[in-house]
């Protein structure tokens, strides 16, 4: 029998507001343990929460970008559970009146466009972090993260493969980043997903029993976990066994998951409306104010790059993977007036530099003005492309000003035919074998001699002129 995998994702994203959701403590990642805390976020008796308006703004942005209907009178509920990462013994979350419902995202799959439903989006507070210390055999707790605002974005079970799940996650991450609501740094836990997986025979309309893998913070692990979990479930069914509804933990090192606990239902959490927080009246005016300030999303930017600047689909796609990359590209293209060149530098040297420095391209420090100047100097024939590459590295590593660097290091391209002819004569005289090879039709010899002259001129020769003059000299030799 062949089976179909059914996947639903609950994505938790930490919002990049300056302060926490119900107090004024800072949200910066890291810091000495328990230094970003106060009586509110550590749940001391009598402390009262005050809602951070920015959180609602960010939630509205996200609802608009994912086509969710916004609940006009949204409200917070208490989700009760006893665990030391949340000292209040309840999490302020939303169950009955989440801020957004019935949205969708369109993803591009191998079979074409596919609509993935978004069941709901709700606002909640993050919990603290438990650090298990195996040496001291104890558990430490850090409440810096406690009360950091979260959005939980719950998809419908519309995804059918690990590939689709990853395309959906990448698309969602890119939207959240372009909206400016989260940095989505998975390694810092600002984007994590609970992955629900079930299987059913192809053609069946009812869902199988699902399991959930919680708090996954790497796309690679999510992809592998889905494949492994679907296989585990199919094997159980084929063996005539039943699948238990449970929470499982994915072990990346063992490439397998193991059962943690049976899955709780909403009832287990004894939800009830939080009496300390009034309902929020989201007026049409408020929504319009947020809508009018909404950042341009990657899809629209891609279309613009292709239509206005004649970039290819591929180039436009790479340049819109992160807002910092798209912004740098757009600024450089505008400042230099050479969008094609700007794209070529970004896709070439810029991405290569990120690979070499083993960092994300958006974390590189490259001022648009410097890159635009460099592009202009190549176009004007002040420096050749190879020299420009070296200057590019200097801008990245030592923050040099390209014009000053060219002057200080005498990097102007040599386009003076006499200066080039002298060097060519010297090199030809020193390499008689290459002349013989060239005459015998070995084109490699030409390349070798070009390299020799270039080196003798510290890479500053005008490459086109050098080629012409060298060919001329060889034909006459
Ligand atoms: Zn606080």
């Amino acid at each position: 029998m062949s089976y179909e995998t059914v996947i639903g994702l609950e994505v938790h994203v930490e919002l990049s507001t300056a302060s926490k959701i119900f107090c004024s403590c800072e949200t910066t990642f890291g810091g000495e343990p328990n230094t970003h805390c106060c009586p509110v976020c550590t749940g001391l008796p009598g402390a009262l929460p005050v809602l951070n308006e920015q959180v609602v703004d960010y939630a509205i942005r996200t609802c608009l970008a994912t086509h969710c209907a916004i609940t006009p009178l949204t409200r917070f509920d208490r989700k009760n559970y006893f665990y030391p990462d949340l000292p209040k013994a309840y999490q302020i979350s939303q169950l009955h009146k989440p801020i957004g419902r019935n949205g969708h995202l369109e993803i591009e799959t191998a079979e074409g466009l596919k609509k993935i439903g978004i069941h709901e989006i709700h606002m909640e507070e993050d919990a603290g972090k438990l650090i298990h210390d195996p040496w001291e055999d104890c558990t430490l707790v850090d409440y810096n993260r406690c009360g950091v605002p979260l959005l939980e974005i719950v998809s419908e079970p519309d995804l059918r493969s690990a590939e689709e799940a990853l395309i959906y996650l990448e698309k969602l991450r890119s939207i959240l980043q372009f909206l400016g609501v989260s940095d989505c740094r998975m390694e810092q836990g600002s984007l994590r997903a609970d992955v629900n997986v079930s299987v059913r025979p192809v053609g069946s309309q009812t869902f199988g029993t699902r399991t959930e893998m919680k708090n996954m913070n790497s796309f690679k692990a999510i992809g592998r976990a889905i494949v492994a979990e679907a296989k585990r479930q199919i094997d159980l069914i084929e063996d005539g066994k039943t699948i238990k509804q449970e929470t499982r933990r994915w072990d990346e090192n063992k490439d397998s998951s193991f059962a943690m606990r049976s899955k709780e239902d909403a009832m287990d959490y004894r939800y009830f409306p939080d009496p300390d927080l009034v309902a929020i009246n989201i007026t049409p005016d408020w929504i319009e104010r947020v809508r009018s300030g909404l950042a341009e999303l990657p899809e629209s930017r891609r279309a613009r790059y292709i239509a206005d600047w004649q970039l290819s689909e591929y180039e436009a796609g790479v340049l819109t993977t992160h807002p910092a990359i798209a912004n740098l590209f757009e600024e450089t293209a505008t400042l230099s007036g050479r969008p094609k060149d700007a794209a070529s530098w970004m896709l070439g040297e810029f991405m290569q530099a990120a690979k070499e420095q083993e960092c994300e391209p958006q974390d590189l420090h490259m001022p648009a003005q410097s890159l635009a100047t460099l592009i202009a100097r190549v176009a004007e024939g002040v420096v050749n492309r190879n020299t420009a590459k070296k200057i590019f590295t200097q801008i990245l590593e030592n923050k040099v000003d390209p014009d000053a660097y060219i002057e200080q290091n005498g990097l102007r391209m040599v386009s003076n035919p006499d200066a080039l002819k002298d060097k060519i004569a010297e090199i030809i005289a020193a390499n008689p074998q290459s002349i013989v090879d060239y005459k015998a039709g070995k084109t490699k010899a030409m390349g070798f001699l070009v390299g020799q002259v270039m080196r003798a001129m510290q890479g500053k020769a005008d490459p086109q002129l050098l080629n012409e003059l060298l060919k001329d000299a060889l034909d006459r030799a």
Side-chain angles (χ1 to χ4, degrees):
M1 196 189 295
S2 55
Y3 294 86
E4 172 177 67
T5 308
V6 176
I7 305 146
L9 294 170
E10 294 164 25
V11 171
H12 289 86
V13 57
E14 278 184 0
L15 300 180
S16 48
T17 53
S19 55
K20 291 186 179 180
I21 183 167
F22 299 119
C23 63
S24 55
C25 293
E26 66 171 290
T27 53
T28 330
F29 177 78
E32 281 293 301
N34 301 308
T35 53
H36 306 163
C37 318
C38 73
V40 175
C41 54
T42 49
L44 297 189
L48 288 170
V50 177
L51 177 62
N52 180 345
E53 189 181 346
Q54 185 100 66
V55 172
V56 186
D57 271 359
Y58 283 8
I60 296 174
R61 275 191 211 176
T62 309
C63 288
L64 291 173
T66 53
H67 316 283
C68 281
I70 294 171
T71 310
L73 212 55
T74 186
R75 214 170 49 189
F76 286 99
D77 299 291
R78 287 187 182 181
K79 179 182 182 179
N80 296 280
Y81 72 91
F82 184 72
Y83 199 61
D85 63 354
L86 243 180
K88 285 201 299 289
Y90 61 84
Q91 179 190 31
I92 304 179
S93 180
Q94 297 195 290
L95 178 76
H96 301 289
K97 298 269 184 187
I99 186 158
R101 275 183 178 138
N102 297 328
H104 69 266
L105 274 190
E106 240 173 29
I107 60 168
E108 282 168 45
T109 69
E111 292 85 44
L113 283 181
K114 184 172 176 185
K115 218 183 225 186
I116 306 300
I118 290 179
H119 181 72
E120 67 166 64
I121 294 182
H122 61 254
M123 302 177 280
E124 60 186 25
E125 58 183 338
D126 208 346
K129 215 176 185 168
L130 297 181
I131 302 135
H132 305 288
D133 184 341
W135 295 101
E136 299 288 334
D137 192 23
C138 67
T139 295
L140 303 166
V141 65
D142 177 6
Y143 290 126
N144 283 356
R145 203 180 65 181
C146 207
V148 166
L150 286 181
L151 285 186
E152 182 171 336
I153 303 162
V154 184
S155 87
E156 297 289 355
D158 289 343
L159 299 154
R160 291 292 174 271
S161 67
E163 292 77 39
E164 281 188 13
L166 295 182
I167 296 170
Y168 167 83
L169 282 171
E170 266 163 28
K171 172 122 191 195
L172 182 60
R173 175 173 67 176
S174 143
I175 289 175
L176 295 165
Q177 287 173 329
F178 275 82
L179 289 174
V181 301
S182 173
D183 58 19
C184 297
R185 287 186 184 273
M186 295 189 82
E187 72 285 2
Q188 295 183 358
S190 34
L191 191 144
R192 352 194 259 265
D194 298 347
V195 184
N196 289 288
V197 178
S198 64
V199 296
R200 64 182 176 188
V202 170
S204 164
Q205 291 305 307
T206 49
F207 291 121
T209 304
R210 67 192 162 94
T211 61
E212 185 180 38
M213 289 171 284
K214 276 191 167 305
N215 262 323
M216 305 203 59
N217 63 353
S218 119
F219 283 178
K220 203 177 113 207
I222 291 171
R224 289 162 53 151
I226 290 172
V227 171
E229 178 57 15
K231 182 175 180 306
R232 189 189 70 87
Q233 293 185 12
I234 292 169
D235 288 348
L236 281 174
I237 296 172
E238 301 265 282
D239 288 351
K241 294 177 183 149
T242 51
I243 295 157
K244 270 189 254 155
Q245 183 177 337
E246 63 193 359
T247 300
R248 303 181 64 83
R249 183 185 288 280
W250 173 252
D251 187 329
E252 184 67 2
N253 297 322
K254 293 194 183 125
D255 211 19
S256 65
S257 64
F258 57 90
M260 273 170 70
R261 56 171 188 258
S262 65
K263 169 92 181 116
E264 304 87 348
D265 282 321
M267 266 176 62
D268 299 325
Y269 290 115
R270 295 167 292 118
Y271 278 97
F272 63 90
D274 193 303
D276 289 339
L277 290 155
V278 293
I280 312 154
N281 183 11
I282 303 181
T283 60
D285 281 357
W286 189 352
I287 296 173
E288 278 324 300
R289 200 181 69 226
V290 174
R291 194 195 302 274
S292 66
L294 220 52
E296 190 185 7
L297 291 177
E299 253 162 53
S300 146
R301 288 201 186 200
R302 267 200 293 282
R304 198 157 49 77
Y305 298 171
I306 294 167
D308 297 355
W309 287 336
Q310 287 77 50
L311 298 198
S312 68
E313 286 270 351
Y314 171 76
E315 291 171 320
V318 176
L319 292 170
T320 48
T321 46
H322 190 276
I325 295 172
N327 292 343
L328 172 59
F329 161 68
E330 279 191 38
E331 253 182 85
T332 309
T334 310
L335 286 168
S336 66
R338 298 183 160 270
K340 270 284 190 190
D341 288 344
S344 151
W345 278 93
M346 296 287 302
L347 267 78
E349 282 72 15
F350 188 77
M351 294 300 169
Q352 183 60 32
K355 216 176 268 174
E356 279 162 16
Q357 298 189 17
E358 294 177 358
C359 69
E360 296 294 331
Q362 59 266 26
D363 293 334
L364 288 176
H365 175 82
M366 172 56 69
Q369 183 61 64
S370 299
L371 185 53
T373 303
L374 193 60
I375 288 169
R377 297 303 169 259
V378 175
E380 293 156 1
V382 174
V383 292
N384 64 32
R385 177 97 192 197
N386 262 331
T387 306
K389 283 183 189 173
K390 289 175 192 139
I391 303 169
F392 180 88
T393 309
Q394 287 298 320
I395 300 171
L396 271 183
E397 288 173 7
N398 300 316
K399 303 193 168 103
V400 304
D401 171 73
D403 278 336
Y405 190 78
I406 291 168
E407 294 318 320
Q408 283 158 11
N409 296 278
L411 295 177
R412 279 178 173 273
M413 182 156 74
V414 178
S415 307
N416 171 357
D418 292 334
L420 275 170
K421 276 182 192 160
D422 290 351
K423 261 309 161 236
I424 288 169
E426 262 176 51
I427 296 294
I428 288 181
N431 295 282
Q433 186 57 44
S434 296
I435 317 298
V436 177
D437 291 348
Y438 177 77
K439 297 280 183 197
K442 292 188 186 160
T443 44
K444 264 191 192 164
M446 175 84 180
F448 170 76
L449 290 168
V450 168
Q452 292 297 308
V453 181
M454 227 3 144
R455 183 185 296 177
M457 303 196 65
Q458 286 117 36
K460 294 183 291 187
D462 177 338
Q464 202 185 338
L465 186 62
L466 166 58
N467 265 288
E468 281 167 24
L469 294 174
L470 180 64
K471 192 157 183 312
D472 199 44
L474 284 171
D475 289 342
R476 281 187 289 104

